[in-house]
Amino acid sequence: MTPDTALVPPGTPAPDRRAVVRTSPLAPGSAADPLWYKDAVVYQLHVRTFADGNGDGIGDFAGLIARLGYIRRLGANAIWLLPFYESPLKDDGYDIAHYERIDPRYGTMDDFKRFLAEAHRLGLQVFTELIINHTSTAHPWFQASRRAPVGSPKRNYYVWSDSDRRYLGARVIFNDIEPSNWTWDPVAKAYYWHRFFHHQPDLNFDNPRVRRAVFKVMRFWLDLGVDGLRLDAIAHLYEREGTSCENLPETHEFLRAIRTEMDRRYAHRVLLAEVDQPPPIARTYFGAGAGDECHMAFQFPLMPRLFLALKREDAGPIVSIVKETDHLPESAQWAIFLRNHDELTISALTPEDRQLMFDLYAPEPRMRLNLGIRRRMAPLLDNDPSRMALAFSLLLSLPGSPVIYYGDEIGMGDNIWLNDRDGVRTPMQWTGTAGAGFSESDQPLTLPVIDDLIYGASTVNVEQQESDPSSMLWRVRRMVAARARSQAFGRGTIDFLTVTCGSVLACLRCYRDDTLLIIANLASTPQRCELMLPAEIADRTAHSLFNDDAVASAALAALSLAPFEFRWYRLVRPMAAPSSTSPASVQNSI
Ligand code: NOJ
């Protein structure tokens, strides 16, 4: 099977990517640099819970447009929108009923176009979701399929079977809720295959019509001008007996076809893979050495280890996984994140580390979901501003493009008593008023605003933090601004330095002539340690990226760090260095 041959006439030469990039018109607002995504700081949000523009209690594009300035002021230069397509919303929009329509609860297609134009005008690139592994059972394709004659192309849009004993090697992902990957359909009188909820039947990628239909959906959104596509659940496209039905060669072949099609028609667009797999497998989604599949992939291997490291006060788990996931193809980039809209997944950890994560971060059974933890960043880090700032420092300084989950920048809380993962998807807290400034509706909102004493909107909100320069919002803004001063964060190499304390992480990030020194104390206690600085940087001056302080690099060989302290320095060669000040003046007060 060659998916691309279904779309490109036989004999068509493979397009020269560089030539295409030169000649293709850029969509309005498109970034001029083909590697723009390497410098991206992405803000992830759900239209449904971000801002309600029409007062009906549900977030919408009108509300989002009015809040774009906030995202820009945070320093983000890209947005990732969770699904906003027509949907019964049984999986918060990951159950699509129509691929080319906006769910009317969020507005119209014109509203979406206005949003896109305004985002681009402000310098925000836009990622949307391409959810092709499955649809909703409400999708007309499924409704037609269940009624179509066995063996017909329409029937074969989905994966049907007379038996629920096929593909037993595939794990059940939502194992708290679904007993099997097969569900009986009384209309079709057969079982259909689904890797997620039973109302999300998997499309059958062995059917060339499905592949063509998926290409058409992709072109529809790229033609509108979206800059990046997050490929949901992309590891699961194909099924083969005797395998785990994940990461199959056919899936990679299809991804290469998608990439070829994208590059053939569009300039500077990006594919972002959602693959929660161990490092050697995760990196295959960039393409086997050639960078010919996805430009970006989520850094799932690192994420739970960041939390392990923070709780254990030990840099080890971060250092080892970053080393294991380093040296990507030139065009590839990790999308690094702390939390997102799902449970904090720990499926990639060893059984011992999983248990440790549950014990440390999810002591109450209700905090757990499937193989994960349904909590937000602030409650996970005990609402401790120093720990949270440290977590943001790691997010913003380790290799990759950081993705900030809406609300984490103000330390929003969660509500573990809501259904499924809704507890981490509650309305954005803009003000301390009843609807949190999210909505003026006096009807129940799409999800209830957090209202407990610690994390409730009257305590945690944007308005209050705007006026407090020491707030989490301002600290994150200052870090993002500091990050924007060097491309080494997004594009640089990383080299860990030897430190005498296990709780201190120190590394050099280098890009072209620019060298940064990043130091972080993961411990809740002060640390005195020694740092082995390479000889070639010993004569440099370390300039803080957070303020005007400077110190001779050599002075950093003996370090005293406050609990959770972190420092970001640019190491400047002697020629360019202004007169250095004493070590005592270095204050990385962020
Ligand atoms: C991954 C998404 O992040 C999650 O929210 C969703 O439930 C599954 N894919 C199924 O689409």
Side-chain angles (χ1 to χ4, degrees), residues 80 82 91-92 94-95 129 131 133-134 174 196-197 200 230 232-233 274 300 340-343 420-421 425:
W80 156 26
L82 289 166
D91 183 14
D92 215 3
Y94 284 96
D95 47 328
E129 295 267 354
I131 305 159
N133 178 67
H134 47 266
F174 289 161
F196 296 92
F197 289 118
Q200 288 167 314
R230 172 189 182 269
D232 181 68
E274 191 232 359
F300 275 100
N340 63 18
H341 62 296
D342 287 329
E343 69 274 31
D420 195 9
R421 291 149 290 174
R425 301 171 178 180

Side-chain angles (χ1 to χ4, degrees), residues 157-372:
Y157 255 60
Y158 294 84
V159 182
W160 296 100
S161 168
D162 293 335
S163 158
D164 63 354
R165 309 306 297 156
R166 296 175 65 202
Y167 309 135
L168 292 179
R171 68 193 160 122
V172 175
I173 295 168
F174 289 161
N175 61 338
D176 277 0
I177 296 130
E178 297 294 343
S180 162
N181 286 322
W182 292 105
T183 289
W184 175 256
D185 181 40
V187 177
K189 297 196 172 42
Y191 292 96
Y192 61 88
W193 176 251
H194 53 87
R195 289 310 303 273
F196 296 92
F197 289 118
H198 64 275
H199 53 74
Q200 288 167 314
D202 277 28
L203 285 165
N204 175 14
F205 278 80
D206 281 321
N207 181 346
R209 290 188 189 211
V210 167
R211 301 197 298 270
R212 278 198 292 272
V214 161
F215 269 57
K216 182 171 163 286
V217 173
M218 175 177 92
R219 286 195 299 262
F220 179 84
W221 293 101
L222 292 177
D223 284 343
L224 280 173
V226 304
D227 307 282
L229 295 171
R230 172 189 182 269
L231 301 173
D232 181 68
I234 203 68
H236 310 282
L237 298 190
Y238 286 83
E239 301 75 39
R240 293 290 179 262
E241 210 56 78
T243 73
S244 66
C245 300
E246 295 179 15
N247 318 308
L248 296 179
E250 292 84 348
T251 295
H252 286 286
E253 196 178 338
F254 185 70
L255 277 173
R256 283 192 292 278
I258 284 201
R259 173 69 182 264
T260 304
E261 175 72 354
M262 192 184 218
D263 288 351
R264 199 168 70 89
R265 288 175 171 255
Y266 309 92
H268 308 182
R269 312 299 179 89
V270 168
L271 295 171
L272 166 56
E274 191 232 359
V275 278
D276 180 10
Q277 301 286 336
I281 298 178
R283 62 193 308 148
T284 60
Y285 284 84
F286 296 120
D292 56 358
E293 293 187 25
C294 298
H295 307 74
M296 302 179 81
F298 284 100
Q299 225 316 4
F300 275 100
L302 170 64
M303 183 274 296
R305 288 170 176 97
L306 280 173
F307 284 94
L308 259 188
L310 286 168
K311 209 61 155 193
R312 280 205 206 141
E313 305 193 354
D314 172 14
I318 299 177
V319 175
S320 54
I321 201 72
V322 169
K323 283 183 177 167
E324 217 182 315
T325 51
D326 201 7
H327 304 297
L328 301 179
E330 176 67 23
S331 61
Q333 178 79 328
W334 292 115
I336 166 174
F337 63 107
L338 293 166
R339 290 295 296 114
N340 63 18
H341 62 296
D342 287 329
E343 69 274 31
L344 189 171
T345 165
I346 52 175
S347 59
L349 298 181
T350 62
E352 300 74 46
D353 282 345
R354 270 184 214 165
Q355 194 52 51
L356 191 66
M357 286 290 286
F358 273 148
D359 293 345
L360 295 172
Y361 285 116
E364 305 231 9
R366 184 74 198 174
M367 295 171 172
R368 304 175 186 188
L369 182 70
N370 305 315
L371 263 185

Side-chain angles (χ1 to χ4, degrees), residues 12 28 73 87 111 115 180 225 231 332 336 353 378 399 418 440 454 472 490 515:
T12 306
R73 277 198 305 284
S87 161
D111 293 331
F115 151 75
S180 162
L231 301 173
I336 166 174
D353 282 345
L418 295 180
E440 301 204 329
I454 300 173
M472 192 51 55
T515 301

Side-chain angles (χ1 to χ4, degrees), residues 54-88:
N54 65 0
D56 66 355
I58 305 170
D60 47 39
F61 280 106
L64 171 57
I65 292 168
R67 296 292 188 179
L68 286 176
Y70 168 81
I71 300 171
R72 201 64 188 103
R73 277 198 305 284
L74 186 64
N77 51 17
I79 301 183
W80 156 26
L81 295 186
L82 289 166
F84 49 79
Y85 317 103
E86 205 171 277
S87 161

Side-chain angles (χ1 to χ4, degrees), residues 413-430:
D414 52 40
N415 179 352
I416 56 173
W417 303 103
L418 295 180
N419 184 42
D420 195 9
R421 291 149 290 174
D422 285 351
V424 299
R425 301 171 178 180
T426 58
M428 179 67 180
Q429 295 171 193
W430 298 102

